[in-house]
């Protein structure tokens, strides 16, 4: 069975709550899922996953230093994540505060790894976003993101 790894950072719980909704979505898509705080995630976790979903609060318009440090460490496995599916999500403090740029910054890192990114034509296009504590609509988007990534991972596996 394919598996998806969710890696997130969260100080006050908002991004963590989003990560749980993403996890629910992946499960409902029928794919195994492991959800880890970034300080517990390893490069081996990245190598073993068919899909990788990153979540970070928005700090000064981009991802938290903890997530950036993890991505910088991933240079050790550069080239080995090619073809895996990726997506991102972010929680920010206010509209216009940079949630989309944060989601995109993480997407850029996944693209540099050669990964295939799941976007969303209807909801948050670049990754799921929330302002503060995720409300019902934000959680719904997170679940949909998880489900979409699960579906794409399954489709790619059955095609190979
Ligand atoms: C160091 C720091 C920098 C922040 N910078 C921004 C920012 O640039 N834009 C924004 O919208 N919110 C910013 N925030 C607010 C957080 O993104 C927001 O509170 C978020 O929901 C926290 O997520 P968490 O509960 O998962 O830790 C910042 C918070 C901190 C602690």
């Amino acid at each position: 069975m394919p598996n998806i790894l969710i890696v997130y950072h969260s100080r006050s719980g908002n991004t963590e709550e989003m990560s749980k909704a993403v996890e629910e979505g992946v499960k409902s898509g029928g794919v195994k899922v492991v959800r880890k705080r970034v300080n517990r995630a390893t490069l081996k976790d990245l190598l073993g996953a068919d899909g990788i979903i990153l979540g970070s609060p928005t700090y000064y318009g981009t991802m938290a230093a903890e997530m950036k440090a993890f991505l910088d460490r991933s240079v050790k496995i550069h080239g080995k994540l090619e073809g895996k599916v990726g997506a991102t999500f972010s929680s920010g403090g206010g509209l216009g505060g940079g949630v989309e740029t944060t989601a995109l910054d993480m997407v850029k890192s996944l693209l540099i790894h050669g990964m295939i990114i799941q976007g969303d034509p209807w909801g948050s296009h670049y990754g799921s976003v929330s302002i503060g504590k995720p409300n019902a609509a934000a959680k719904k988007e997170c679940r949909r993101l998880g489900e979409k990534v699960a579906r794409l991972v399954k489709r790619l596996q059955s095609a190979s």
Side-chain angles (χ1 to χ4, degrees):
M1 196 202 253
N3 71 89
I4 287 173
L5 173 72
I6 301 170
V7 180
Y8 71 96
H9 178 68
S10 185
R11 227 191 264 188
S12 48
N14 297 331
T15 317
E16 181 167 48
E17 220 172 303
M18 295 176 81
S19 76
K20 289 178 183 167
V22 174
E23 182 180 33
E24 282 169 21
V26 173
K27 280 184 183 160
S28 73
V31 168
K32 223 175 101 191
V33 60
V34 173
R35 191 171 57 86
K36 282 195 173 181
R37 274 188 179 270
V38 70
N39 59 347
R40 313 202 80 188
T42 64
L43 300 184
K44 206 170 152 210
D45 292 329
L46 293 176
L47 289 169
D50 300 299
I52 299 164
I53 308 178
L54 302 180
S56 172
T58 294
Y59 286 174
Y60 288 91
T62 188
M63 70 190 91
E66 287 84 347
M67 183 61 74
K68 182 65 168 67
F70 182 56
L71 286 166
D72 287 355
R73 281 204 306 282
S74 71
V75 73
K76 283 192 183 141
I77 54 167
H78 191 78
K80 294 188 174 156
L81 303 182
E82 188 171 1
K84 294 181 189 286
V85 177
T88 71
F89 57 97
S90 179
S91 165
L95 267 184
V99 274
E100 289 179 59
T101 52
T102 301
L104 276 174
D105 283 352
M106 290 186 283
V107 160
K108 282 192 289 186
S109 300
L110 299 182
L111 284 171
I112 291 167
H113 271 301
M115 291 175 59
I116 300 160
I117 304 303
Q118 175 68 60
D120 190 333
W122 309 115
S124 306
H125 303 313
Y126 312 111
S128 297
V129 294
S130 170
I131 302 305
K133 191 173 160 60
N135 61 17
K139 283 192 194 169
K140 194 171 163 194
E141 291 232 338
C142 289
R143 279 195 290 273
R144 195 168 61 194
L145 182 77
E147 226 178 293
K148 277 174 178 289
V149 173
R151 220 178 300 141
L152 181 54
V153 162
K154 284 204 291 195
R155 203 185 311 154
L156 288 174
Q157 274 218 342
S158 63
S160 66

